[in-house]
Amino acid sequence: MAIGDAARPIMAAVETVVTTDAQVDADDPALWADPSNPARAVMFGTDKSDGLYIHDLDGSVRQFLPSGPVNNVDLRDGFPVPGGTRTLVAASNDRPGGNGINLYLFDPATLTTTDYGFHATPYEPYGFCVGRRAETFFLVVTTKAGTVHQMTVAAGPNGPVIGEPRVLTLGSQLEGCVVNDRADTLYVGEEDVGVWRYDFDPAGSPEATSVARVDLNRIKDDVEGLTIMRDGGMEYLIVSSQGDSTYPVYRIQGDDHVYLGRFTIVDGNGIDAVTHTDGLDAFSGPIGPFPDGALAFHDHEDAPNPGQQNYKIVDWREIKNALGL
């Protein structure tokens, strides 16, 4: 694909319907499905003013936790706690008078989410993601000051136990991040600069490798959400290019990241277009009504509802077809 190639138009299949707050300040989604029964699926979505929503995949609200101004959210399955395992869900929180991370436990048996405590941080969290190395779970926080904080999390007798952070540094404001557990790598978005990759091993090199740059053609600042989709033995890094409401797609080939094109989400199926996306998330494999996977996107303006934001869900097959993957 040439630099500056046109973004391919696709349409969303589902959008969230908010029933508990007429003015949701949305930001970042995270998708989950039961591997033994993918029809049992939910989507977590943050409200930067009020808390965390859990949606069914028809867009309706299943649950709401009034956690305050949570920003980015992520999850990992198989988190061991007394009495079994749960899905660890966590979100950054920059509430006045106490920055930190909200932790939750999602029960796959009942599809309910419970509070698992708040971990205060001496810095203001901004971006956030979760990762896993073998049986060790990690929380990753990025900041406006350009730092990345990678720390372990485990269940203790009185709640979660957070380890001392590994701190990495870039030059300016950061937000989106995603961990590739299989490759043991961490991707971080530096909003006005581009996408970087780190070794996720806490003992690994602290040096960042450039993956993609803000060039005003393929990526227009800000770089926001990052996610990874796996399909047919391939891995794809997908970026939110917020400045032009497009999503560049790169095939991950070892140390190389091959640009494959970009897409944009337009009006259709009775759902409005998606603009100025902050967070996005991919689920690889069957989830809800999507047999090959799906992606969820923050939408800055849910037309025709001025001031309202929400989330859109896109069938992965639509993206594959649009880009010829």
Side-chain angles (χ1 to χ4, degrees):
M1 294 288 180
I3 290 180
D5 59 294
R8 309 296 176 84
I10 63 168
M11 294 178 288
V14 176
E15 66 177 337
T16 55
V17 178
V18 177
T19 60
T20 59
D21 186 347
Q23 295 293 317
V24 166
D25 186 10
D27 191 272
D28 188 43
L31 293 161
W32 178 90
D34 184 340
S36 63
N37 181 5
R40 302 178 69 248
V42 300
M43 185 190 73
F44 299 86
T46 60
D47 179 339
K48 290 190 292 186
S49 298
D50 297 325
L52 182 69
Y53 283 92
I54 300 91
H55 293 271
D56 289 321
L57 289 204
D58 63 359
S60 61
V61 176
R62 167 177 285 272
Q63 190 178 354
F64 175 71
L65 291 96
S67 304
V70 289
N71 189 1
N72 283 193
V73 62
D74 201 6
L75 57 83
R76 284 296 184 277
D77 284 327
F79 185 72
V81 296
T85 61
R86 297 290 185 269
T87 297
L88 176 69
V89 181
S92 56
N93 191 321
D94 57 356
R95 62 191 186 190
N99 298 314
I101 304 164
N102 283 86
L103 295 105
Y104 312 89
L105 295 177
F106 173 73
D107 186 350
T110 61
L111 303 185
T112 56
T113 306
T114 56
D115 193 284
Y116 193 46
F118 177 80
H119 172 69
T121 58
Y123 49 83
E124 180 184 357
Y126 200 49
F128 180 79
C129 53
V130 179
R132 183 175 177 179
R133 304 185 74 241
E135 300 307 310
T136 304
F137 291 74
F138 290 86
L139 310 173
V140 181
V141 179
T142 68
T143 72
K144 295 178 182 179
T147 56
V148 180
H149 303 257
Q150 175 186 346
M151 61 205 98
T152 59
V153 57
N158 300 307
V161 177
I162 311 296
E164 289 298 314
R166 171 203 192 196
V167 181
L168 307 165
T169 304
L170 287 165
S172 63
Q173 180 167 311
L174 313 177
E175 185 165 5
C177 65
V178 64
V179 179
N180 187 339
D181 294 351
R182 292 184 183 180
D184 207 20
T185 54
L186 165 67
Y187 293 91
V188 176
E190 187 175 6
E191 288 194 345
D192 295 333
V193 178
V195 181
W196 302 90
R197 186 190 65 194
Y198 283 104
D199 185 344
F200 195 55
D201 183 346
S205 170
E207 298 301 315
T209 300
S210 177
V211 169
R213 307 291 288 188
V214 170
D215 59 7
L216 307 185
N217 289 298
R218 291 175 178 172
I219 300 179
K220 185 174 181 181
D221 50 322
D222 293 344
V223 174
E224 291 287 335
L226 307 173
T227 192
I228 294 171
M229 171 63 81
R230 297 181 178 89
D231 182 38
M234 299 291 183
E235 292 184 325
Y236 302 95
L237 175 68
I238 304 172
V239 180
S240 170
S241 172
Q242 190 181 61
D244 58 4
S245 301
T246 67
Y247 310 92
V249 179
Y250 301 82
R251 184 171 61 243
I252 303 172
Q253 295 184 179
D255 292 335
D256 297 325
H257 297 78
V258 180
Y259 176 69
L260 302 175
R262 56 201 181 117
F263 63 92
T264 187
I265 304 170
V266 300
D267 292 334
N269 296 328
I271 301 173
D272 60 298
V274 176
T275 57
H276 302 293
T277 292
D278 283 314
L280 72 164
D281 188 49
F283 189 92
S284 306
I287 177 170
F290 308 105
D292 293 345
L295 284 89
F297 300 82
H298 157 257
D299 181 16
H300 179 73
E301 188 77 22
D302 179 36
N305 302 306
Q308 179 63 281
Q309 303 185 16
N310 69 351
Y311 298 97
K312 270 58 171 187
I313 302 176
V314 173
D315 191 323
W316 169 237
R317 294 174 297 180
E318 294 292 321
I319 299 169
K320 286 178 64 175
N321 291 338
L323 296 182
L325 304 181

